[in-house]
Amino acid sequence: MTRALESAIGAERSGQLGEEALHDAYRGFRASFDSTYGGFGARPQFPSPHNLIFLTRYWKRTQDAHALAMVEKTLE
């Protein structure tokens, strides 16, 4: 699984994804966020706990307020 992900994003074979992979994932969430109703992607939208956990951890790591706002709006 790790090798497939690394080759898909061009990461080094170090066994760990780099910092840029985190930021790329965040940008993907931000681009697909529904600011009116919360959630991500096309409707119908269902909360995906792993997405919200990622965004919460991203906020904790970077202090990016928008990451936490997306979680709060989705849970609302």
Side-chain angles (χ1 to χ4, degrees):
M1 180 74 129
T2 301
R3 281 184 295 232
L5 288 171
E6 287 173 341
S7 66
I9 64 167
E12 295 179 13
R13 293 271 184 212
S14 66
Q16 295 183 358
L17 297 175
E19 185 83 14
E20 192 58 31
L22 293 175
H23 300 303
D24 286 344
Y26 171 70
R27 286 188 288 268
F29 282 118
R30 192 168 177 146
S32 68
F33 182 65
D34 180 343
S35 60
T36 303
Y37 299 106
F40 304 90
R43 294 177 72 183
Q45 299 163 342
F46 299 96
S48 298
H50 56 281
N51 294 349
L52 303 179
I53 291 168
F54 171 84
L55 288 168
T56 303
R57 292 183 73 183
Y58 187 86
W59 164 75
K60 179 80 171 167
R61 182 179 189 136
T62 66
Q63 297 301 305
D64 186 311
H66 192 67
L68 185 59
M70 288 188 287
V71 172
E72 291 172 339
K73 180 67 176 179
T74 299
L75 292 174
E76 225 176 66

